[in-house]
């Protein structure tokens, strides 16, 4: 899978991220990392072949890696470096009317961070659902202004989703934004920062 990347830096990042993921999963499961094998659904979401007790998801951007582990519940994460330039006029067409209205309330100097906040919340949710970007991004809504509570507002494809799913903005290092989605409305998030292995 690493050979699919054209840039060597992307290949190295992918291999390093998978190695770290294997180490973390092996510690939670109490098995050797070499016994960790992944399977993928039709949309590319990975899961373990050896256990359904631990669910996980992974995302990396820039120099940061975000790994989420959970007991049985489906989970998704996304982290993004907010440094790159964006053409917001083309992106707003992917937003729901309510999201577009909220996005328009941000002053120009906050728009890049607001966009990536929106994107990570969306990406985390579709990754948790296991459908990836095959799901239309305007088919569900997230709150762009809330940061400390569940920001999932609605899902046209699953009207009951807000009763069973949560999406949270994560507080991460300056210059990055991140989000976590989980198939639960009652969960305790514990965060651990790792600075190398």
């Amino acid at each position: 899978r690493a050979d699919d990347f054209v840039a060597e830096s992307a290949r190295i990042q992918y291999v390093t991220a998978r190695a770290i993921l294997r180490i973390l999963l092996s510690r939670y499961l109490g098995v050797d990392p070499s016994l960790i094998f992944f399977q993928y659904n039709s949309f590319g979401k990975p899961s373990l072949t050896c256990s359904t007790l631990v669910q996980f998801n992974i995302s990396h951007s820039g120099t940061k890696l975000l790994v989420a582990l959970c007991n049985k519940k489906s989970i998704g994460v996304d982290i993004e470096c907010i440094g790159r330039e964006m053409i917001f006029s083309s992106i707003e067409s992917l937003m729901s009317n309510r999201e577009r209205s909220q996005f328009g309330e941000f002053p120009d100097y906050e728009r890049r961070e607001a966009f990536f906040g929106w994107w990570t919340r969306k990406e985390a949710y579709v990754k948790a659902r296991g459908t990836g970007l095959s799901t239309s991004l305007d088919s569900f809504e997230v709150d762009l202004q809330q940061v400390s509570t569940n920001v999932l507002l609605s899902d046209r494809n699953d009207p009951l989703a807000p009763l069973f799913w949560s999406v949270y903005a994560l507080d991460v290092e300056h210059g990055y934004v991140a989000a976590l989605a989980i198939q639960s409305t009652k969960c305790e998030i514990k965060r651990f920062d790792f600075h190398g292995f």
Side-chain angles (χ1 to χ4, degrees):
R1 293 177 68 92
D3 290 338
D4 292 340
F5 293 97
V6 175
E8 183 180 3
S9 60
R11 285 195 299 273
I12 292 170
Q13 188 178 52
Y14 177 85
V15 171
T16 303
R18 294 295 161 156
I20 292 170
L21 176 62
R22 280 179 185 278
I23 292 168
L24 291 173
L25 288 169
S26 73
R27 290 180 182 176
Y28 274 86
L29 292 168
V31 300
D32 189 272
S34 65
L35 300 177
I36 301 291
F37 295 98
F38 302 113
Q39 59 190 2
Y40 299 85
N41 74 6
S42 58
F43 300 102
K45 183 179 182 181
S47 62
L48 291 169
T49 58
C50 61
S51 174
T52 58
L53 295 179
V54 177
Q55 298 293 315
F56 67 92
N57 202 237
I58 186 170
S59 178
H60 45 83
S61 180
T63 61
K64 303 300 174 192
L65 169 67
L66 180 61
V67 178
L69 302 171
C70 182
N71 185 18
K72 298 182 182 178
K73 303 289 186 182
S74 185
I75 195 165
V77 288
D78 190 47
I79 187 167
E80 297 288 344
C81 178
I82 63 174
R84 65 181 191 264
E85 292 294 327
M86 303 300 299
I87 302 172
F88 296 122
S89 58
S90 61
I91 293 161
E92 287 184 72
S93 64
L94 302 174
M95 297 179 172
S96 71
N97 290 335
R98 181 162 37 176
E99 291 168 342
R100 196 174 302 114
S101 175
Q102 282 189 335
F103 185 67
E105 293 174 10
F106 286 93
D108 288 345
Y109 66 90
E110 291 182 358
R111 282 194 155 203
R112 181 183 295 125
E113 187 168 351
F115 163 74
F116 282 108
W118 169 82
W119 178 262
T120 56
R121 295 166 196 195
K122 293 278 188 165
E123 179 82 2
Y125 182 66
V126 297
K127 288 175 73 177
R129 300 285 315 224
T131 58
L133 294 177
S134 68
T135 299
S136 175
L137 294 182
D138 65 356
S139 68
F140 63 98
E141 294 180 310
V142 294
D143 194 318
L144 278 71
Q145 296 170 335
Q146 290 294 328
V147 293
S148 59
T149 59
N150 181 6
V151 298
L152 180 63
L153 298 175
S154 66
D155 186 335
R156 194 168 64 233
N157 299 323
D158 181 4
L160 296 180
L163 300 176
F164 300 100
W165 291 83
S166 300
V167 180
Y168 299 100
L170 299 178
D171 183 23
V172 291
E173 186 176 316
H174 178 72
Y176 290 82
V177 292
L180 176 147
I182 186 169
Q183 191 180 15
S184 175
T185 55
K186 295 179 182 178
C187 64
E188 180 184 3
I189 300 173
K190 293 182 181 179
R191 177 179 165 178
F192 303 92
D193 292 320
F194 294 93
H195 301 281
F197 274 79

